[in-house]
Amino acid sequence: MDLSKRGTFGSKFGIIAAVAGSAIGLGNIWRFPYVAGSNGGGAFLLIYLIIVLAIGLPVMLSEFIIGRATQRNPYDAFKKLSPNGHWYIIGIMGIFAAFMILAFYSTVAGWTLEYIYQSVINGFKGKSAGEINQMFTSFNTNTLRPVMWQVIFMLMTAVIVLGGVEKGIEKYTKILMPLLLIIIIILDVKALSLPDAREGISFLFKPDFSKITPNVILSALGQAFFSLSIGMGTLITYGSYIQKKDNLTSSAAIVIIADTAIAILAGVAIFPIVFHFGLKPTEGVALVFKTLPNIFAQMTGGTIFAVLFFVLLTVAAITSSISLLEVIVAFFVERLKMKRINATIFATVSVSYLGTLCAMSEGGFSNFRLFNMNFFNLFDNTAAKILLPLGGCLIALFVGWFYGKDKTWLEISNRGKLKVGYLNIFMFLIKYIAPLAIALVFLNGLGLFKF
Ligand code: PHE
């Protein structure tokens, strides 16, 4: 592979914008509230925060290290560092995870596109909570519409991925993500001014320790990995585009703070609405789509806000989906020597095919159940609760035990230029804490092992 042809991110802000673009997306605004709502609220949030700090940050940094040190896609990165080992399997698992995640991710992004359309035609105005609820159900049980939007979303993603690294990714995220943040804060203010907002807020922030079960912990682990885009090599791929002079640790820290803040702000907007309108936090995957339109239906200028919100949510979803598609495309190009355009088309067509299974999981395929889950939940759960934690565990083990302290120091200190006072803590976390915690939570949550 000709390294000179590989793109790099133009500036430090460029990397942060791109990695944050990958991390911040439907995971924060759609998935976090629904998973937190189904797993006890405050207790979930507390465990989530601990996991993000003690496991998420070290694993993210590990991915950056592997990516920047090798300048390769995940598969070749492991092959380069350990030519005779089998660590490249992490790269292969990552490709599988990318396919699965994209399949349901593009489905939810498709729902978002439908909601842009509904906002534009003024579809929420004056509707009651019951009607808004019904709107989602009748849309999602329709077989064709969700598929149509899902395919449109994948096409949008493909077009951007074809544009290449710098042009494709950096340009959009810089301006639009801050705008999304502003809209969410406006929604927060609206939600907090509801008369009984307190109930929603204490649901999210007041931990009820009796609600903590092995599955709640596993859900928090899965959500943390999903939201931070870690455990499958996305950030190895992005790390390979980071310049040698950039500071890996501070970039990771900034992304983690931003990602977590946005998830919490989304929760602050959603849970007061849940309680005010008599909905249930355990609504599941439709939670965001059944709650926020209630605010848009009532507020002055609601239509414009609704359009803006769903457009920006789509943009946030695209900056994440391009990072997922990039994992697959970079592998096809660099390993299978495909042309970028062919790789992109092939990946997009196969993902769209898998995506239709998810998009129709409450429509045409509503009778399909495996382990009591439809296609959508099956892909969502397999990726977040199995593939990502497993990948993260292996990545931590790789850097902690195989790559080792000296090389790790070289990479995170930019060959001695930066001070790394936290090196020992970092090594301790990735050698022992992260792998052990993931293994225990994993086995325990799947019921294979009891504390
Ligand atoms: N982190 C993204 C989100 O929160 C989803 C994602 C997961 C992207 C894994 C890349 C890899 O929306």
Side-chain angles (χ1 to χ4, degrees):
M1 188 189 57
D2 179 1
L3 281 187
S4 61
K5 277 208 203 120
R6 251 187 118 80
T8 54
F9 291 122
S11 61
K12 164 137 186 169
F13 187 68
I15 335 157
I16 292 178
V19 179
S22 169
I24 297 166
L26 297 171
N28 310 61
I29 293 156
W30 156 73
R31 203 174 185 281
F32 174 83
Y34 111 65
V35 178
S38 303
N39 286 283
F44 173 90
L45 178 60
L46 181 69
I47 295 171
Y48 179 80
L49 292 175
I50 296 172
I51 290 177
V52 163
L53 269 184
I55 305 178
L57 182 59
V59 171
M60 182 181 281
L61 192 50
S62 301
E63 291 201 29
F64 281 172
I65 291 170
I66 298 170
R68 193 175 66 172
T70 57
Q71 318 250 304
R72 298 281 195 279
N73 69 70
Y75 180 97
D76 287 305
F78 288 109
K79 269 279 180 206
K80 182 177 182 192
L81 296 176
S82 163
N84 301 319
H86 295 287
W87 294 100
Y88 63 87
I89 289 171
I90 303 172
I92 296 182
M93 275 171 45
I95 313 271
F96 274 102
F99 270 108
M100 280 201 175
I101 295 177
L102 268 176
F104 71 85
Y105 206 82
S106 55
T107 299
V108 181
W111 299 348
T112 313
L113 292 177
E114 163 79 14
Y115 273 55
I116 297 179
Y117 169 76
Q118 290 297 341
S119 319
V120 169
I121 62 165
N122 235 333
F124 309 126
K125 191 130 193 101
K127 286 220 160 71
S128 70
E131 286 166 325
I132 283 171
N133 204 316
Q134 185 51 37
M135 235 171 109
F136 182 85
T137 310
S138 59
F139 158 67
N140 200 30
T141 48
N142 177 310
T143 296
L144 274 185
R145 259 183 112 80
V147 173
M148 171 189 86
W149 289 123
Q150 185 259 335
V151 171
I152 293 177
F153 179 80
M154 276 316 297
L155 288 178
M156 292 160 66
T157 304
V159 167
I160 298 178
V161 165
L162 270 179
V165 180
E166 284 213 306
K167 279 179 282 144
I169 301 171
E170 264 182 62
K171 211 163 71 188
Y172 305 95
T173 35
K174 285 185 202 170
I175 324 156
L176 296 174
M177 289 304 101
L179 207 60
L180 176 63
L181 179 63
I182 294 174
I183 301 273
I184 296 175
I185 292 176
I186 295 175
L187 291 174
D188 283 339
V189 173
K190 279 274 155 202
L192 287 173
S193 67
L194 290 171
D196 38 13
R198 188 167 272 189
E199 211 179 328
I201 293 305
S202 67
F203 174 79
L204 179 61
F205 290 106
K206 220 162 140 199
D208 170 356
F209 292 101
S210 70
K211 294 240 170 80
I212 301 179
T213 63
N215 189 45
V216 167
I217 306 178
L218 179 59
S219 300
L221 183 72
Q223 174 58 24
F225 275 60
F226 184 87
S227 189
L228 298 174
S229 304
I230 55 178
M232 52 168 284
T234 322
L235 298 190
I236 295 182
T237 305
Y238 272 34
S240 72
Y241 301 124
I242 301 178
Q243 293 185 10
K244 291 287 181 195
K245 62 176 177 6
D246 284 319
N247 184 335
L248 296 182
T249 312
S250 67
S251 304
I254 293 172
V255 170
I256 285 192
I257 292 170
D259 188 75
T260 308
I262 299 237
I264 293 176
L265 288 172
V268 168
I270 284 166
F271 289 110
I273 306 179
V274 168
F275 289 96
H276 180 78
F277 289 96
L279 297 155
K280 283 198 212 65
T282 50
E283 187 57 56
V285 297
L287 187 68
V288 174
F289 297 92
K290 291 183 174 177
T291 44
L292 291 184
N294 286 301
I295 288 278
F296 299 132
Q298 292 190 342
M299 74 200 251
T300 27
T303 303
I304 294 171
F305 272 107
V307 176
L308 256 178
F309 173 77
F310 287 113
V311 166
L312 291 170
L313 186 56
T314 305
V315 174
I318 287 186
T319 56
S320 303
S321 63
I322 50 183
S323 75
L324 285 157
L325 195 59
E326 183 66 40
V327 171
I328 305 176
V329 170
F331 177 79
F332 284 169
V333 170
E334 287 167 17
R335 179 110 293 258
L336 307 181
K337 308 281 174 250
M338 281 170 86
K339 283 214 178 85
R340 196 169 169 90
I341 174 140
N342 294 339
T344 312
I345 293 172
F346 180 67
T348 307
V349 171
S350 28
V351 164
S352 303
Y353 177 74
L354 278 181
T356 54
L357 300 180
C358 297
M360 297 208 288
S361 60
E362 288 300 312
F365 291 131
S366 60
N367 286 328
F368 171 88
R369 286 286 183 282
L370 189 66
F371 305 115
N372 215 4
M373 286 180 272
N374 60 19
F375 275 119
F376 187 108
N377 296 118
L378 194 65
F379 283 22
D380 182 349
N381 280 309
T382 310
K385 288 190 185 167
I386 299 178
L387 292 176
L388 299 186
L390 212 57
C393 184
L394 292 172
I395 289 167
L397 287 173
F398 178 83
V399 173
W401 295 93
F402 185 88
Y403 196 62
K405 188 170 169 178
D406 297 342
K407 290 196 205 134
T408 297
W409 175 78
L410 269 181
E411 196 58 46
I412 43 181
S413 71
N414 293 353
R415 317 219 146 243
K417 288 195 202 76
L418 304 172
K419 263 215 150 89
V420 195
Y422 51 84
L423 184 66
N424 285 332
I425 304 177
F426 173 66
M427 290 310 292
F428 180 70
L429 286 173
I430 51 167
K431 270 178 102 158
Y432 304 103
I433 301 296
L436 260 178
I438 296 172
L440 285 180
V441 169
F442 190 63
L443 297 175
N444 200 31
L446 292 179
L448 300 174
F449 167 86
K450 288 270 161 275
F451 282 128

